[in-house]
Amino acid sequence: MLKHMRKHAKYFYALFVIVILSFIFWGTGKVGKDSENLPLAQIGDETITVQEYWRTNEEIASLYRDVDGSEFDAEAMDLKDQVLKTMIQERLLLIAAREAGMTVSDKELEEAIVNDPAFTRDGAFNKDVYRNSLNIYRMSASQYETLKRRDLLLQKMRRLVEEPVALAPSDVKGLEGGEEIYKSLRETLLESKRESALESFLNGMRKKVPVTVNEQLIS
């Protein structure tokens, strides 16, 4: 299962989403140890602390364990480096979004919250479910909305990079199979091409934005 996940680009995107969600649900609260609040990475004016890194790493590892059970091997799939790389990419996209003047309106934020399946009951948004969900994570509505707005901003930035990407006739030349197989192969190729576009964009951002990492703090 994990070999299949690592092989296809769509699981890179899944990992990216998981990281964002970890910020929404782990991004607040008191720091237990001074060392946990040390900066692990500095990306422009954005900081990744040791605490944020380990919480995100454990959240993702837990999700992979749920999928793959006893076969999960974090070291074999280089999870530590993959998580840190993705967190740095998230910060670079945030910086790019701000440089592009992107914002998330109050209406966009409200629509995202009321349409979130996590806060619905019987097909409709439920304020009590919303409040109770935030209480579980000891988070105020304003804290959640700030982090959710950040998540939406990242989605906008990714769409700006990815949506112009399309398959050229040469990309699909030679593809064979029935309709479903052909469709699946096209989707895989498009995802791979979009991943490459995102990587290229982020590499360009790294040339403009100073990135420093103290990996000794998590070694």
Side-chain angles (χ1 to χ4, degrees), residues 136-202:
I136 290 173
Y137 293 98
R138 299 179 183 180
M139 186 180 295
S140 69
S142 62
Q143 287 173 319
Y144 176 79
E145 288 167 10
T146 296
L147 292 166
K148 185 63 178 178
R149 195 183 294 269
R150 173 188 177 113
D151 174 28
L152 295 171
L153 186 62
L154 280 164
Q155 291 180 38
K156 279 190 174 186
M157 189 64 227
R158 282 190 52 200
R159 285 197 299 270
L160 182 66
V161 175
E162 295 173 352
E163 286 187 351
V165 176
L167 292 176
S170 58
D171 294 324
V172 297
K173 185 178 180 180
L175 291 183
E176 298 178 353
E179 183 178 349
E180 288 301 316
I181 294 176
Y182 182 78
K183 182 180 178 181
S184 178
L185 289 172
R186 280 182 58 90
E187 289 175 353
T188 299
L189 284 172
L190 182 58
E191 288 165 358
S192 179
K193 200 167 182 178
R194 284 177 171 171
E195 180 188 7
S196 295
L198 183 63
E199 286 281 357
S200 296
F201 178 82
L202 290 166

Side-chain angles (χ1 to χ4, degrees), residues 36-41 47-54 91:
E36 290 181 341
N37 207 31
L38 289 173
L40 168 62
T47 302
I48 297 172
T49 67
V50 173
Q51 180 196 44
E52 289 172 328
Y53 169 80
W54 281 120
R91 297 307 208 274

Side-chain angles (χ1 to χ4, degrees), residues 2 18 21 42 44 58 82 104 151 163 167 213:
L2 283 176
I18 292 167
L21 292 177
Q42 189 71 38
E58 179 52 36
Q82 190 178 10
V104 174
D151 174 28
E163 286 187 351
L167 292 176
V213 182

Side-chain angles (χ1 to χ4, degrees), residues 29-47:
K30 296 180 179 179
V31 177
K33 298 178 181 178
D34 291 340
S35 61
E36 290 181 341
N37 207 31
L38 289 173
L40 168 62
Q42 189 71 38
I43 306 95
D45 59 358
E46 291 277 338
T47 302

Side-chain angles (χ1 to χ4, degrees), residues 79-92:
L79 187 64
K80 282 179 61 177
D81 289 342
Q82 190 178 10
V83 169
L84 181 56
K85 175 185 175 182
T86 306
M87 293 178 77
I88 291 172
Q89 291 174 332
E90 180 258 1
R91 297 307 208 274
L92 287 170

